[in-house]
């Protein structure tokens, strides 16, 4: 079940998307810059994909020309390369090592700082003011990942103020994927490739002989308002159908599959499986998977002071359950062996997450497969486990 | 020890023992008393007895250089003290100090070994009962070995995880 | 000393950060043993300590050093100050134990689940404490003693490393003197001069009286100690749904957001630290889980 079909916690000032669905529109590719302009005029900082360091990363961008126009990515277990396309598609690639959690749940955040003086100790909350930001190019899997993190940070016993303030008022321009990568399996997870909720605008790129346009759906009143400032026409049935076909074809291209039936029970039942040791023979416990995963949220906290001892800060940083110190308590770490640490990550992602947050923790984006230096494939391991278990039955 | 069978039958350690066996070992039994501060036995001494404590508390001590006597276990009412009489070299391995006044039933080891040799059923019964006590004490000792309340970490500290 | 908490742009923060401590003042420090201290801390002037339930913990912060999860060890009815017993084993806990009256200490909490309360009424109660595990149990002991006739037989089993490691020795004497309270203390080893029991805490279990069909057991101590204590209690007939334990895992945030304290799907900081034993089926005692 898609996480968006369950409760998705949205910041208070957003109306539910279903009330504001409109008929589809079409924007010509040449007019897409007006979208950027409309957003800038409204004071949004635009974050979106661009090429940097041999990968497609999500950083501040200013115009359509900043997008990886005419580029694609080739991904496999342990491999990521950018390649030139033979067309000028704006969104002709899948996902890179960045995810939107970089901007909603940043890797390093100062939570508060304190000073010690004659008046005693003063504590200053460093939760920043919300700012206006627009995310361009959010894929369906990523929308689900954001919804999953909304549930973790906003929908549980304690609200994470750092996430809440960064999540507030984000304008999302989603993109339906026009191709699936070799490590993609959103279709198995029910999280894509079509985005159906949680966006302000959703684009499907159609690029074939003689035409290059975007089918646009508005998903909120804000989306409608911004769309009004971009040259567009009502989509013809043929244009809508063509865009629809693009997405349907993407669904069939998925490079990986994951059978989610009874997956939680399968993993819980396999706590003592020898397969974990087999995986551990390869796993370097490098933690790449946790860094690129759009839902992994573990952090650590460091309390630091300057040399004078007069000022102190509490800084929050991304952490990974793959580190030896992650589970340290007096007497030693609980999870010492790499076997136990890999088991923790995969069981949490696919099983315990469901008991904790009512959805799977995985959105099928395939990043963990692509960015694992030894190419460990979570879908392959799950499938192996299922076979072992049923052959024992 | 006459008429002791009834008294022995009530001792926790001998619960359920056959009357015939109780009569046999009664020959080897005697009431004993110790005063607080007395030693019931000392390490290295000839182990010719064992005790079933009726009332009081006994400390099993080992003398360690530097630290002196260390109590490793206390034995009290209803518990059995001593099994070194069962096997060669029949020597005590600990000191046993009376922490309070003690009343106990003492058994002569030589006499009891003779009875067990003559009646193997009795021998089997005694050894079974002692095995249970020894197992429980071994379990407890192993748990104590883990030193669970120690403040020292078992592995190097990894800080800032 | 006053604490001022301000936001950088003087706007109303829609969501106050759950990571911001409140500043308390150390009122008293009492040394229990060579490495264990009991701290009494007072909230800002004019405020009371927040209500807490026995078994809950606070995150205590030492300026520039760090924050530690420490169980509250005082009387839940007493709100003028908040009591914690801390063992100095690492940098942060050593810093806490070096505090002096008048020093500032940051507090977040109370967090976590609590020891059974209403579940104990009308029952025989067995409390088993190992080492510093007596500290989180003390609030429950106070609660029971404040209303003693609402409970059946009450046994407190307490094991420590040596007689010098016993906590709350004054209170132990007072509890021992009560005819309506059975206190059994044991140590792993002792020097001559100790007239109490020597042996692990599980050796006390066969010696105490309770009705297994009507008993609730509450256990707190190192995981190995809890494991063996549970086995002995189960041998005596207490069922898993009448045994409560307190689990410990690495804790950074205490508010379910950092992910460190997970045991399977359970977050020790919000689903625990106290668990009814049958709810940990398949998790407790599983190696490296």
């Amino acid at each position: 079940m898609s996480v968006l079909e369950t409760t998705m916690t949205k910041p208070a000032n957003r109306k539910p998307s279903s009330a504001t669905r409109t008929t589809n529109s079409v924007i010509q590719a040449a007019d897409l810059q007006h979208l950027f302009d409309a957003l800038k005029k409204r004071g949004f900082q635009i974050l979106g994909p661009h090429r940097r360091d041999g990968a497609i990363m999500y950083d501040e961008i200013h115009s359509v020309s900043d997008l990886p126009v005419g580029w694609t990515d080739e991904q496999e277990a342990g491999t990521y390369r950018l390649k030139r396309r033979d067309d000028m598609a704006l969104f002709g690639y899948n996902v890179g090592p960045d995810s939107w959690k970089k901007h909603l749940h940043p890797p390093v955040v100062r939570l508060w700082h304190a000073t010690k003086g004659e008046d005693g100790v003063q504590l200053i909350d460093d939760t920043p003011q919300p700012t206006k930001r627009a995310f361009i190019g959010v894929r369906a899997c990523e929308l689900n990942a954001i919804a999953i993190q909304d549930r973790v940070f906003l929908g549980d016993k304690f609200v994470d103020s750092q996430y809440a303030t960064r999540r507030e008022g984000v304008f999302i321009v989603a993109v339906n994927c026009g191709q699936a990568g070799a490590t993609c399996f959103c279709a198995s997870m029910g999280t894509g490739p079509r985005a159906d909720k949680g966006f302000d605008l959703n684009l499907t790129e159609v690029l074939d002989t003689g035409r290059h346009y975007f089918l646009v759906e508005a998903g909120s009143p804000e989306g409608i308002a911004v769309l009004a400032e971009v040259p567009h026409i009502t989509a013809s049935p043929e244009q809508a159908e063509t865009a629809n076909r693009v997405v349907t074809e993407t669904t069939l291209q998925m490079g990986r599959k994951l059978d989610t039936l009874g997956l939680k029970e399968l993993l819980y039942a396999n706590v003592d499986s020898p397969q974990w040791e087999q995986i551990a023979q390869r796993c370097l416990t490098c933690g790449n998977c946790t860094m690129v995963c759009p839902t992994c949220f573990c952090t650590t906290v460091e309390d630091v002071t300057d040399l004078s001892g007069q000022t102190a800060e509490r800084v929050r940083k991304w952490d990974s359950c793959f580190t030896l110190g992650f589970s340290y308590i007096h007497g030693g770490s609980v999870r010492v062996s790499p076997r136990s640490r890999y088991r923790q990550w995969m069981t949490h992602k696919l099983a315990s997450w469901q008991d904790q947050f009512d959805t799977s923790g995985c959105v099928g984006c395939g990043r963990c497969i692509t960015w694992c230096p030894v190419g460990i494939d979570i879908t392959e391991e799950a499938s192996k486990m299922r076979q072992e278990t049923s052959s024992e039955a | 020890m006459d008429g002791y069978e009834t008294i022995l039958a009530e001792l926790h350690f001998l619960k359920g023992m056959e009357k015939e066996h109780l009569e046999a070992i009664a020959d080897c039994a005697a009431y004993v008393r110790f005063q607080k501060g007395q030693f019931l036995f000392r390490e290295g001494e000839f182990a010719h007895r064992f005790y079933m404590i009726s009332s009081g508390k006994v400390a099993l001590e080992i003398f360690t250089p530097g630290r002196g006597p260390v109590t490793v276990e206390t034995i009290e009412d209803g518990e059995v003290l001593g099994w070194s009489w069962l096997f060669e070299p029949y020597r005590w391995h600990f000191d046993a100090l009376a922490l309070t006044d003690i009343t106990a039933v003492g058994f002569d080891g030589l006499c009891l070994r003779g009875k067990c040799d003559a009646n193997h059923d009795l021998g089997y019964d005694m050894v079974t009962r002692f095995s249970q006590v020894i197992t429980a004490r071994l379990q407890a000792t192993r748990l104590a070995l883990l030193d669970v309340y120690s403040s020292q970490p078992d592995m190097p500290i990894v800080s800032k995880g | 000393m006053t604490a001022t908490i301000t936001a950088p742009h003087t706007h109303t923060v829609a969501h106050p950060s759950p990571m911001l401590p409140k500043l308390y003042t150390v009122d008293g420090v009492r040394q229990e043993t060579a490495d264990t201290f009991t701290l009494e801390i007072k909230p800002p002037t004019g405020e009371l300590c927040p209500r807490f339930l026995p078994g809950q913990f606070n995150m205590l912060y030492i300026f520039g050093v760090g924050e530690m999860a420490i169980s509250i060890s005082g009387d839940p009815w007493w709100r003028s100050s908040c009591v914690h017993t801390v063992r100095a084993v690492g940098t942060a806990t050593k810093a806490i134990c070096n505090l002096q009256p008048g020093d500032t200490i940051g507090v977040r909490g109370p967090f976590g689940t609590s020891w059974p309360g209403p579940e104990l009424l009308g029952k025989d109660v067995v409390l088993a404490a190992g080492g510093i595990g007596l500290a989180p149990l003390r609030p429950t002991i106070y609660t029971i003693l404040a209303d003693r006739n609402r409970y059946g037989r009450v046994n407190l089993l307490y094991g420590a490393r040596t007689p010098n490691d016993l906590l709350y020795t004054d209170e132990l004497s007072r509890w021992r003197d009560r005819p309506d309270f059975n206190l059994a203390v044991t140590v792993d080893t002792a020097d001559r001069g100790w007239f109490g029991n020597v042996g692990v805490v599980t050796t006390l279990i066969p010696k105490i009286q309770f009705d297994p069909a009507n008993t609730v057991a509450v256990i707190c101590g190192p995981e190995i100690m809890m494991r063996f204590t549970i086995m002995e209690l189960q041998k005596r007939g207490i069922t898993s749904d009448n045994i409560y334990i307190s689990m410990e895992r690495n804790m950074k945030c205490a508010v379910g957001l950092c992910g460190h304290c997970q045991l399977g799907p359970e977050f020790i900081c919000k689903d625990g630290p106290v668990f009814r034993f049958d709810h940990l089926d398949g998790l407790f005692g599983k190696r490296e889980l």
Side-chain angles (χ1 to χ4, degrees), chain C residues 116-281:
Chain C
E119 297 87 339
L120 301 178
L121 295 172
K123 301 274 168 75
D124 286 348
V125 182
V126 174
L127 302 134
I132 188 99
L134 181 57
L137 284 177
R138 194 169 66 160
T140 288
I141 298 170
Y142 287 151
T143 305
I144 292 172
L145 293 178
D147 222 349
R148 179 64 187 90
N149 55 11
R150 298 181 83 191
Y151 306 88
R153 280 170 290 207
V154 179
N155 289 281
L156 170 61
L157 310 178
Y158 175 32
R161 200 157 181 261
T162 70
N164 291 332
D165 296 303
L166 292 169
L167 303 175
Y168 316 137
T169 46
D170 293 347
E171 277 174 316
L172 289 178
S173 304
R174 286 204 292 280
W175 295 342
R176 187 192 301 283
D177 289 341
R178 292 183 70 123
D180 59 357
F181 191 89
N182 180 32
L183 172 65
V185 175
T186 185
V187 293
D188 287 354
T189 57
D191 293 334
R192 196 176 284 173
W194 169 252
F195 291 88
N197 294 312
V198 175
V200 290
V201 74
T202 45
T203 59
L204 300 174
I205 293 167
K207 303 181 189 178
I208 58 172
Q209 305 296 322
F210 57 87
D211 172 10
N214 193 43
T215 300
V216 177
V218 174
I219 312 170
C220 190
E223 214 170 298
I224 305 171
M225 170 254 169
M226 292 198 296
R227 200 157 96 217
F228 282 92
T229 304
I230 291 167
M231 284 193 315
E232 289 299 316
L233 291 173
Q234 286 175 327
K235 262 197 234 170
R236 286 278 302 262
I238 303 184
T239 53
S240 299
D241 57 338
N242 284 303
I243 298 175
Y244 293 81
I245 62 176
S246 184
M247 295 299 291
E248 190 185 341
R249 283 294 185 269
N250 184 300
M251 232 177 251
K252 289 286 188 294
C253 72
V255 289
L257 298 173
C258 76
H260 279 248
C261 68
Q262 293 173 76
L263 166 61
E266 312 290 343
F267 285 86
I268 302 301
C269 68
K270 55 180 176 132
D271 304 313
V274 175
F275 289 91
R276 207 173 79 179
F277 187 59
D278 59 332
H279 292 161
L280 286 181
D281 189 40

Side-chain angles (χ1 to χ4, degrees), chain A residues 191 214 221 293 325:
Chain A
T191 54
F214 289 89
C293 174

